[in-house]
Amino acid sequence: MTPLAQLLCERIREDGPITVADYMAECLLHPVHGYYTTREPFGAAGDFTTAPEISQMFGELLGLALAQAWLDQGAPSPFTLAELGPGRGTLMADALRATRAVPGFHAAAQVVLVEASPRLRDVQARTLAPHQPLWLDGVEDLPDCPTFLVANEFLDALPIRQFLLSPEGWRERLVGLADGALAFGLSAPLPQVPDTPAFRTARPGDLVEHSAPAQSAVAAALVPILRFGGLALFIDYGGWRSRGDTLQALCQHAFDDPLAHPGQADLTAHVDFEPLAALAPAQAYDTQGAVLRRLGIEARADRLARGLASPALDNHLAALGRLTGPQEMGSLFKMLALTRAGAPLPPGFAP
Ligand code: SAH
């Protein structure tokens, strides 16, 4: 049993079962045993690889898309160039390198990073030192300024609650104890559940997930955007009105039982983009593959391929396939752009 599993078992023995959201929050961000607090999750030696770690093209194209959106909105100065959950800072570093030639963009930008893990803040500080980033604890601390924001695989790390429509009504899936070990169970029927389309259209037997922290994070990101202008780009795996249990644990690039290694495995859930999109007056939504292709990833890949020989060339072409291929991240991952009414849609999204 992991040290965090022992602590959680004690807590449940004393206070009763906890929600899946409480369980996720403890596993990811417990100050001593949390996954992001203690681990280097990314890359071959870690537990998973994210798009910016697969290829520099990802951050470059998203950086250029944000810069184009900034130009389309009249190049406001100063403005906030923000990232939520920047990991190793790779996406932001690639975005900044790609946008060096955009006149006035760097001079007007204050780079702002929302990051909960002190250890990852250190890594980001090393990657992004020349740009003098400002770190914030929460999205609600974003400055009063036009805000151009990106968040890759941030929302999937925010805790979800799970609800099952049983014959007696909605019940919540809880983490309790069975034979002294962590085990899933169900609450008594609930008087009330969140009021979103997924709940309103559910049928008996459906499991519906809801992330209040994701709703709050997106709402908070929209506060400066709706007041001062800008754009938010959220990239994640998930869908539109998704159904079913998507809580997943990854440990050393393999799926794990979500209750087996609390604190030592990454825990995520698919993002339901529908209730998040509803928070903004203007939105665009598409698959990652479609948006990256419209942003010109194939031309950029050709350009980079010219300087490469095998095996670097093979890796580069494989990376293009992983980011855009329909069987890989191209379809599973979605991009949601949110802005204010009347603002032009960002490049990469179909009109
Ligand atoms: N965007 C990066 C990392 C994704 S992993 C990439 O694509 O490689 C999720 C990131 O979100 C990590 O940096 C993690 O520490 C951060 N994070 C998780 N929960 C958070 C929270 N509640 N507040 C702020 N940051 C959080």
Side-chain angles (χ1 to χ4, degrees), residues 304-330:
L304 287 170
R306 274 187 241 154
L308 297 175
S310 288
L313 179 62
D314 306 328
N315 289 340
H316 169 63
L317 296 175
L320 174 66
R322 280 185 76 184
L323 293 180
T324 59
Q327 304 303 325
E328 305 200 52
M329 300 169 87

PDB file of all heavy atoms in Angstrom, residues 304-330:
ATOM      1  N   LEU A 304      10.996  21.325 -41.393  1.00  0.00           N
ATOM      2  CA  LEU A 304      11.911  20.768 -40.377  1.00  0.00           C
ATOM      3  C   LEU A 304      12.573  19.492 -40.892  1.00  0.00           C
ATOM      4  O   LEU A 304      13.730  19.211 -40.573  1.00  0.00           O
ATOM      5  CB  LEU A 304      11.152  20.461 -39.081  1.00  0.00           C
ATOM      6  CG  LEU A 304      10.732  21.671 -38.236  1.00  0.00           C
ATOM      7  CD1 LEU A 304       9.794  21.229 -37.125  1.00  0.00           C
ATOM      8  CD2 LEU A 304      11.945  22.386 -37.646  1.00  0.00           C
ATOM      9  N   ALA A 305      11.845  18.724 -41.716  1.00  0.00           N
ATOM     10  CA  ALA A 305      12.375  17.441 -42.201  1.00  0.00           C
ATOM     11  C   ALA A 305      13.590  17.653 -43.096  1.00  0.00           C
ATOM     12  O   ALA A 305      14.481  16.804 -43.145  1.00  0.00           O
ATOM     13  CB  ALA A 305      11.281  16.690 -42.971  1.00  0.00           C
ATOM     14  N   ARG A 306      13.656  18.819 -43.756  1.00  0.00           N
ATOM     15  CA  ARG A 306      14.761  19.063 -44.696  1.00  0.00           C
ATOM     16  C   ARG A 306      16.115  18.990 -44.010  1.00  0.00           C
ATOM     17  O   ARG A 306      17.099  18.610 -44.619  1.00  0.00           O
ATOM     18  CB  ARG A 306      14.605  20.435 -45.361  1.00  0.00           C
ATOM     19  CG  ARG A 306      13.725  20.369 -46.586  1.00  0.00           C
ATOM     20  CD  ARG A 306      13.745  21.700 -47.314  1.00  0.00           C
ATOM     21  NE  ARG A 306      12.410  22.261 -47.367  1.00  0.00           N
ATOM     22  CZ  ARG A 306      12.131  23.555 -47.469  1.00  0.00           C
ATOM     23  NH1 ARG A 306      13.093  24.445 -47.510  1.00  0.00           N
ATOM     24  NH2 ARG A 306      10.886  23.939 -47.522  1.00  0.00           N
ATOM     25  N   GLY A 307      16.179  19.373 -42.747  1.00  0.00           N
ATOM     26  CA  GLY A 307      17.472  19.375 -42.056  1.00  0.00           C
ATOM     27  C   GLY A 307      17.777  18.059 -41.354  1.00  0.00           C
ATOM     28  O   GLY A 307      18.766  17.970 -40.632  1.00  0.00           O
ATOM     29  N   LEU A 308      16.926  17.043 -41.525  1.00  0.00           N
ATOM     30  CA  LEU A 308      17.073  15.830 -40.703  1.00  0.00           C
ATOM     31  C   LEU A 308      17.443  14.609 -41.532  1.00  0.00           C
ATOM     32  O   LEU A 308      17.068  14.489 -42.695  1.00  0.00           O
ATOM     33  CB  LEU A 308      15.753  15.533 -39.972  1.00  0.00           C
ATOM     34  CG  LEU A 308      15.266  16.578 -38.964  1.00  0.00           C
ATOM     35  CD1 LEU A 308      13.898  16.191 -38.435  1.00  0.00           C
ATOM     36  CD2 LEU A 308      16.258  16.741 -37.813  1.00  0.00           C
ATOM     37  N   ALA A 309      18.171  13.713 -40.906  1.00  0.00           N
ATOM     38  CA  ALA A 309      18.434  12.398 -41.500  1.00  0.00           C
ATOM     39  C   ALA A 309      17.974  11.350 -40.485  1.00  0.00           C
ATOM     40  O   ALA A 309      17.792  11.656 -39.310  1.00  0.00           O
ATOM     41  CB  ALA A 309      19.926  12.250 -41.773  1.00  0.00           C
ATOM     42  N   SER A 310      17.806  10.109 -40.935  1.00  0.00           N
ATOM     43  CA  SER A 310      17.408   9.036 -39.994  1.00  0.00           C
ATOM     44  C   SER A 310      18.491   8.862 -38.935  1.00  0.00           C
ATOM     45  O   SER A 310      19.653   9.086 -39.258  1.00  0.00           O
ATOM     46  CB  SER A 310      17.249   7.720 -40.752  1.00  0.00           C
ATOM     47  OG  SER A 310      16.102   7.798 -41.535  1.00  0.00           O
ATOM     48  N   PRO A 311      18.149   8.534 -37.682  1.00  0.00           N
ATOM     49  CA  PRO A 311      16.802   8.227 -37.185  1.00  0.00           C
ATOM     50  C   PRO A 311      15.994   9.457 -36.747  1.00  0.00           C
ATOM     51  O   PRO A 311      14.808   9.337 -36.487  1.00  0.00           O
ATOM     52  CB  PRO A 311      17.090   7.350 -35.966  1.00  0.00           C
ATOM     53  CG  PRO A 311      18.402   7.859 -35.443  1.00  0.00           C
ATOM     54  CD  PRO A 311      19.183   8.304 -36.661  1.00  0.00           C
ATOM     55  N   ALA A 312      16.633  10.663 -36.713  1.00  0.00           N
ATOM     56  CA  ALA A 312      15.885  11.849 -36.279  1.00  0.00           C
ATOM     57  C   ALA A 312      14.699  12.114 -37.208  1.00  0.00           C
ATOM     58  O   ALA A 312      13.614  12.508 -36.757  1.00  0.00           O
ATOM     59  CB  ALA A 312      16.815  13.057 -36.228  1.00  0.00           C
ATOM     60  N   LEU A 313      14.898  11.863 -38.507  1.00  0.00           N
ATOM     61  CA  LEU A 313      13.827  12.091 -39.474  1.00  0.00           C
ATOM     62  C   LEU A 313      12.638  11.160 -39.198  1.00  0.00           C
ATOM     63  O   LEU A 313      11.477  11.583 -39.226  1.00  0.00           O
ATOM     64  CB  LEU A 313      14.358  11.874 -40.892  1.00  0.00           C
ATOM     65  CG  LEU A 313      13.348  12.050 -42.025  1.00  0.00           C
ATOM     66  CD1 LEU A 313      12.802  13.480 -42.053  1.00  0.00           C
ATOM     67  CD2 LEU A 313      13.984  11.708 -43.364  1.00  0.00           C
ATOM     68  N   ASP A 314      12.940   9.908 -38.902  1.00  0.00           N
ATOM     69  CA  ASP A 314      11.855   8.953 -38.611  1.00  0.00           C
ATOM     70  C   ASP A 314      11.077   9.384 -37.367  1.00  0.00           C
ATOM     71  O   ASP A 314       9.849   9.306 -37.323  1.00  0.00           O
ATOM     72  CB  ASP A 314      12.427   7.541 -38.389  1.00  0.00           C
ATOM     73  CG  ASP A 314      13.288   7.107 -39.576  1.00  0.00           C
ATOM     74  OD1 ASP A 314      12.981   7.532 -40.704  1.00  0.00           O
ATOM     75  OD2 ASP A 314      14.268   6.369 -39.361  1.00  0.00           O
ATOM     76  N   ASN A 315      11.803   9.834 -36.349  1.00  0.00           N
ATOM     77  CA  ASN A 315      11.146  10.305 -35.129  1.00  0.00           C
ATOM     78  C   ASN A 315      10.254  11.507 -35.422  1.00  0.00           C
ATOM     79  O   ASN A 315       9.146  11.630 -34.899  1.00  0.00           O
ATOM     80  CB  ASN A 315      12.179  10.706 -34.069  1.00  0.00           C
ATOM     81  CG  ASN A 315      12.884   9.489 -33.509  1.00  0.00           C
ATOM     82  OD1 ASN A 315      12.379   8.377 -33.618  1.00  0.00           O
ATOM     83  ND2 ASN A 315      14.050   9.707 -32.925  1.00  0.00           N
ATOM     84  N   HIS A 316      10.763  12.398 -36.248  1.00  0.00           N
ATOM     85  CA  HIS A 316      10.022  13.612 -36.592  1.00  0.00           C
ATOM     86  C   HIS A 316       8.722  13.249 -37.323  1.00  0.00           C
ATOM     87  O   HIS A 316       7.644  13.759 -37.000  1.00  0.00           O
ATOM     88  CB  HIS A 316      10.923  14.494 -37.456  1.00  0.00           C
ATOM     89  CG  HIS A 316      10.234  15.652 -38.093  1.00  0.00           C
ATOM     90  ND1 HIS A 316       9.652  16.666 -37.351  1.00  0.00           N
ATOM     91  CD2 HIS A 316      10.015  15.971 -39.392  1.00  0.00           C
ATOM     92  CE1 HIS A 316       9.110  17.545 -38.180  1.00  0.00           C
ATOM     93  NE2 HIS A 316       9.320  17.140 -39.414  1.00  0.00           N
ATOM     94  N   LEU A 317       8.813  12.329 -38.286  1.00  0.00           N
ATOM     95  CA  LEU A 317       7.607  11.942 -39.032  1.00  0.00           C
ATOM     96  C   LEU A 317       6.634  11.188 -38.136  1.00  0.00           C
ATOM     97  O   LEU A 317       5.410  11.360 -38.244  1.00  0.00           O
ATOM     98  CB  LEU A 317       7.997  11.110 -40.263  1.00  0.00           C
ATOM     99  CG  LEU A 317       8.840  11.896 -41.295  1.00  0.00           C
ATOM    100  CD1 LEU A 317       9.291  10.994 -42.426  1.00  0.00           C
ATOM    101  CD2 LEU A 317       8.057  13.101 -41.839  1.00  0.00           C
ATOM    102  N   ALA A 318       7.173  10.385 -37.234  1.00  0.00           N
ATOM    103  CA  ALA A 318       6.300   9.677 -36.282  1.00  0.00           C
ATOM    104  C   ALA A 318       5.588  10.680 -35.375  1.00  0.00           C
ATOM    105  O   ALA A 318       4.407  10.514 -35.051  1.00  0.00           O
ATOM    106  CB  ALA A 318       7.122   8.691 -35.450  1.00  0.00           C
ATOM    107  N   ALA A 319       6.292  11.739 -34.993  1.00  0.00           N
ATOM    108  CA  ALA A 319       5.686  12.771 -34.127  1.00  0.00           C
ATOM    109  C   ALA A 319       4.532  13.453 -34.848  1.00  0.00           C
ATOM    110  O   ALA A 319       3.472  13.693 -34.258  1.00  0.00           O
ATOM    111  CB  ALA A 319       6.745  13.791 -33.710  1.00  0.00           C
ATOM    112  N   LEU A 320       4.722  13.756 -36.132  1.00  0.00           N
ATOM    113  CA  LEU A 320       3.630  14.362 -36.915  1.00  0.00           C
ATOM    114  C   LEU A 320       2.409  13.439 -36.905  1.00  0.00           C
ATOM    115  O   LEU A 320       1.277  13.884 -36.686  1.00  0.00           O
ATOM    116  CB  LEU A 320       4.102  14.613 -38.354  1.00  0.00           C
ATOM    117  CG  LEU A 320       3.023  15.103 -39.329  1.00  0.00           C
ATOM    118  CD1 LEU A 320       2.546  16.500 -38.937  1.00  0.00           C
ATOM    119  CD2 LEU A 320       3.547  15.102 -40.762  1.00  0.00           C
ATOM    120  N   GLY A 321       2.661  12.135 -37.096  1.00  0.00           N
ATOM    121  CA  GLY A 321       1.566  11.162 -37.079  1.00  0.00           C
ATOM    122  C   GLY A 321       0.887  11.099 -35.721  1.00  0.00           C
ATOM    123  O   GLY A 321      -0.344  11.035 -35.637  1.00  0.00           O
ATOM    124  N   ARG A 322       1.683  11.140 -34.655  1.00  0.00           N
ATOM    125  CA  ARG A 322       1.078  11.055 -33.316  1.00  0.00           C
ATOM    126  C   ARG A 322       0.201  12.267 -33.033  1.00  0.00           C
ATOM    127  O   ARG A 322      -0.870  12.140 -32.437  1.00  0.00           O
ATOM    128  CB  ARG A 322       2.172  10.971 -32.245  1.00  0.00           C
ATOM    129  CG  ARG A 322       2.755   9.589 -32.103  1.00  0.00           C
ATOM    130  CD  ARG A 322       3.741   9.532 -30.960  1.00  0.00           C
ATOM    131  NE  ARG A 322       3.094   9.498 -29.664  1.00  0.00           N
ATOM    132  CZ  ARG A 322       3.755   9.515 -28.509  1.00  0.00           C
ATOM    133  NH1 ARG A 322       5.066   9.570 -28.507  1.00  0.00           N
ATOM    134  NH2 ARG A 322       3.109   9.471 -27.370  1.00  0.00           N
ATOM    135  N   LEU A 323       0.642  13.442 -33.448  1.00  0.00           N
ATOM    136  CA  LEU A 323      -0.127  14.657 -33.136  1.00  0.00           C
ATOM    137  C   LEU A 323      -1.404  14.769 -33.957  1.00  0.00           C
ATOM    138  O   LEU A 323      -2.390  15.329 -33.483  1.00  0.00           O
ATOM    139  CB  LEU A 323       0.725  15.908 -33.378  1.00  0.00           C
ATOM    140  CG  LEU A 323       1.911  16.114 -32.443  1.00  0.00           C
ATOM    141  CD1 LEU A 323       2.654  17.395 -32.802  1.00  0.00           C
ATOM    142  CD2 LEU A 323       1.443  16.178 -30.990  1.00  0.00           C
ATOM    143  N   THR A 324      -1.376  14.256 -35.201  1.00  0.00           N
ATOM    144  CA  THR A 324      -2.506  14.511 -36.107  1.00  0.00           C
ATOM    145  C   THR A 324      -3.270  13.262 -36.528  1.00  0.00           C
ATOM    146  O   THR A 324      -4.379  13.377 -37.045  1.00  0.00           O
ATOM    147  CB  THR A 324      -2.015  15.210 -37.397  1.00  0.00           C
ATOM    148  OG1 THR A 324      -1.054  14.351 -38.028  1.00  0.00           O
ATOM    149  CG2 THR A 324      -1.373  16.550 -37.097  1.00  0.00           C
ATOM    150  N   GLY A 325      -2.689  12.069 -36.361  1.00  0.00           N
ATOM    151  CA  GLY A 325      -3.301  10.846 -36.890  1.00  0.00           C
ATOM    152  C   GLY A 325      -4.641  10.568 -36.237  1.00  0.00           C
ATOM    153  O   GLY A 325      -4.802  10.739 -35.031  1.00  0.00           O
ATOM    154  N   PRO A 326      -5.623  10.105 -37.031  1.00  0.00           N
ATOM    155  CA  PRO A 326      -6.954   9.835 -36.484  1.00  0.00           C
ATOM    156  C   PRO A 326      -6.954   8.729 -35.431  1.00  0.00           C
ATOM    157  O   PRO A 326      -7.775   8.746 -34.518  1.00  0.00           O
ATOM    158  CB  PRO A 326      -7.782   9.446 -37.711  1.00  0.00           C
ATOM    159  CG  PRO A 326      -6.813   9.171 -38.808  1.00  0.00           C
ATOM    160  CD  PRO A 326      -5.538   9.890 -38.483  1.00  0.00           C
ATOM    161  N   GLN A 327      -6.016   7.764 -35.544  1.00  0.00           N
ATOM    162  CA  GLN A 327      -5.962   6.696 -34.538  1.00  0.00           C
ATOM    163  C   GLN A 327      -5.129   7.130 -33.332  1.00  0.00           C
ATOM    164  O   GLN A 327      -4.983   6.386 -32.376  1.00  0.00           O
ATOM    165  CB  GLN A 327      -5.336   5.425 -35.113  1.00  0.00           C
ATOM    166  CG  GLN A 327      -6.018   4.902 -36.366  1.00  0.00           C
ATOM    167  CD  GLN A 327      -7.498   4.633 -36.162  1.00  0.00           C
ATOM    168  OE1 GLN A 327      -7.905   4.206 -35.090  1.00  0.00           O
ATOM    169  NE2 GLN A 327      -8.307   4.919 -37.168  1.00  0.00           N
ATOM    170  N   GLU A 328      -4.499   8.296 -33.405  1.00  0.00           N
ATOM    171  CA  GLU A 328      -3.630   8.732 -32.305  1.00  0.00           C
ATOM    172  C   GLU A 328      -4.245   9.970 -31.660  1.00  0.00           C
ATOM    173  O   GLU A 328      -5.438  10.002 -31.425  1.00  0.00           O
ATOM    174  CB  GLU A 328      -2.223   8.941 -32.851  1.00  0.00           C
ATOM    175  CG  GLU A 328      -1.778   7.639 -33.551  1.00  0.00           C
ATOM    176  CD  GLU A 328      -0.295   7.518 -33.709  1.00  0.00           C
ATOM    177  OE1 GLU A 328       0.418   7.663 -32.717  1.00  0.00           O
ATOM    178  OE2 GLU A 328       0.140   7.293 -34.847  1.00  0.00           O
ATOM    179  N   MET A 329      -3.443  11.021 -31.428  1.00  0.00           N
ATOM    180  CA  MET A 329      -4.001  12.161 -30.703  1.00  0.00           C
ATOM    181  C   MET A 329      -4.897  13.038 -31.578  1.00  0.00           C
ATOM    182  O   MET A 329      -5.654  13.851 -31.064  1.00  0.00           O
ATOM    183  CB  MET A 329      -2.870  13.016 -30.133  1.00  0.00           C
ATOM    184  CG  MET A 329      -1.987  12.264 -29.172  1.00  0.00           C
ATOM    185  SD  MET A 329      -0.505  13.215 -28.773  1.00  0.00           S
ATOM    186  CE  MET A 329      -1.107  14.176 -27.405  1.00  0.00           C
ATOM    187  N   GLY A 330      -4.807  12.883 -32.889  1.00  0.00           N
ATOM    188  CA  GLY A 330      -5.511  13.782 -33.809  1.00  0.00           C
ATOM    189  C   GLY A 330      -7.011  13.832 -33.615  1.00  0.00           C
ATOM    190  O   GLY A 330      -7.618  14.892 -33.759  1.00  0.00           O
TER     191      GLY A 330
END
